[in-house]
Amino acid sequence: MKDINTNRWRTMDVVIASVIAVAFGVIFWAWNTVWSITESAFAFFPPAQALLYGVWLMPAVLSGLIIRKPGAALYTEAVAAIISALLGNAWGATVIPQGLIQGLGAELAFAALRYRSFRLPAALLAGALTGLSAALFDFIVWNSEYALGSYRIPYAIFTVVSGTLLAGLGSWAVVRALAPTGVLDRFGAGRERALI
């Protein structure tokens, strides 16, 4: 049985989650530019641009895999969104509730696994659910005027695929690369190097 105290956040958890959030807030700011300059490349089929979406979803999955505590995915994605909004973007403060919804998607995946599994399938599930939550938010806020079949369904599929691969697989690969260096030794991800 898991000790209830293992779900308590340590100072180290808050610091690392915050560092991940700030780093990704800056990455989001840069990725906003990538999104804007690639729009014309996807003019043939605009929903396909959602294949790039997963970068915006990474902090939720990455912090969930490292911190391994309730709220880590939600906190990190929300703080990254706040940093992105403060740095300035084309979407304004709307990215803040968007970040909360995206973080909630990953949080639901880790909660469904009772914060006990952090292997590749858990990372892929968290990436997929954060992609799904992102697509649902976008349907309501950004893409409400688009038709369901010709735009929304493909957009959702591409967003989930991107979340699964970039955020899920990508975050798992980052944790796997960092674990042997020893920087994660104070976290379960570092102590379970062979299981990642």
Side-chain angles (χ1 to χ4, degrees):
M1 176 183 254
K2 192 172 184 179
D3 181 7
I4 191 133
N5 290 330
T6 61
N7 284 333
R8 280 201 188 147
W9 282 54
R10 305 168 298 167
T11 302
M12 176 69 69
D13 299 328
V14 175
V15 169
I16 295 302
S18 298
V19 167
I20 293 168
V22 170
F24 271 95
V26 174
I27 291 168
F28 287 178
W29 177 76
W31 201 248
N32 296 340
T33 303
V34 171
W35 184 270
S36 295
I37 64 174
T38 59
E39 280 181 327
S40 61
F42 293 97
F44 70 97
F45 190 57
Q49 189 177 18
L51 288 170
L52 304 176
Y53 208 123
V55 171
W56 284 314
L57 309 174
M58 280 188 77
V61 180
L62 183 61
S63 66
L65 293 174
I66 293 173
I67 309 294
R68 299 182 174 191
K69 302 222 169 121
L74 181 63
Y75 171 82
T76 309
E77 189 74 27
V79 173
I82 291 167
I83 299 296
S84 174
L86 291 173
L87 291 173
N89 63 63
W91 306 283
T94 307
V95 299
I96 297 170
Q98 187 170 20
L100 284 166
I101 298 298
Q102 292 166 353
L104 183 61
E107 198 69 49
L108 289 174
F110 292 120
L113 299 170
R114 302 198 303 176
Y115 298 95
R116 291 183 180 174
S117 177
F118 301 95
R119 295 184 184 184
L120 180 58
L124 296 176
L125 177 62
L129 288 185
T130 195
L132 179 61
S133 66
L136 293 173
F137 180 91
D138 291 356
F139 287 175
I140 296 164
V141 177
W142 305 117
N143 303 329
S144 60
E145 74 277 8
Y146 292 108
L148 184 63
S150 63
Y151 186 94
R152 287 185 181 195
I153 299 297
Y155 181 88
I157 291 168
F158 287 130
T159 304
V160 170
V161 167
S162 183
T164 303
L165 297 178
L166 294 179
L169 182 61
S171 294
W172 176 81
V174 168
V175 171
R176 191 172 167 97
L178 288 174
T181 70
V183 299
L184 301 179
D185 282 354
R186 297 194 59 183
F187 299 93
R191 292 188 296 271
E192 298 173 5
R193 294 175 192 172
L195 300 176
I196 296 174

